[in-house]
Amino acid sequence: MSAVSLGVPPVPARPLAPRRPSRRIRVGSVAVGGDAPVSVQSMTTTRTSDVGATLQQ
């Protein structure tokens, strides 16, 4: 069996432009930017681990 080309370009080996450093700020009690972990805000009142209830909402 041979590989089939899907026409998807290869992933570049390096970023196209260097990333600018950012500084960490606080928005309320949440740190944003810099080396802070990514924060996600949920717009549901259900536990997001309960997929059925979350989709229902």
Side-chain angles (χ1 to χ4, degrees):
M1 184 170 232
S2 61
V4 176
S5 173
L6 299 176
V8 179
V11 177
R14 59 183 174 77
L16 299 177
R19 293 187 61 128
R20 296 179 305 181
S22 63
R23 37 185 189 136
R24 181 186 281 208
I25 63 167
R26 296 195 68 78
V27 180
S29 62
V30 179
V32 178
D35 60 349
V38 174
S39 298
V40 178
Q41 179 180 1
S42 173
M43 300 298 284
T44 65
T45 57
T46 60
R47 294 187 60 81
T48 53
S49 58
D50 184 353
V51 176
T54 302
L55 288 175
Q56 214 38 53
Q57 194 179 63

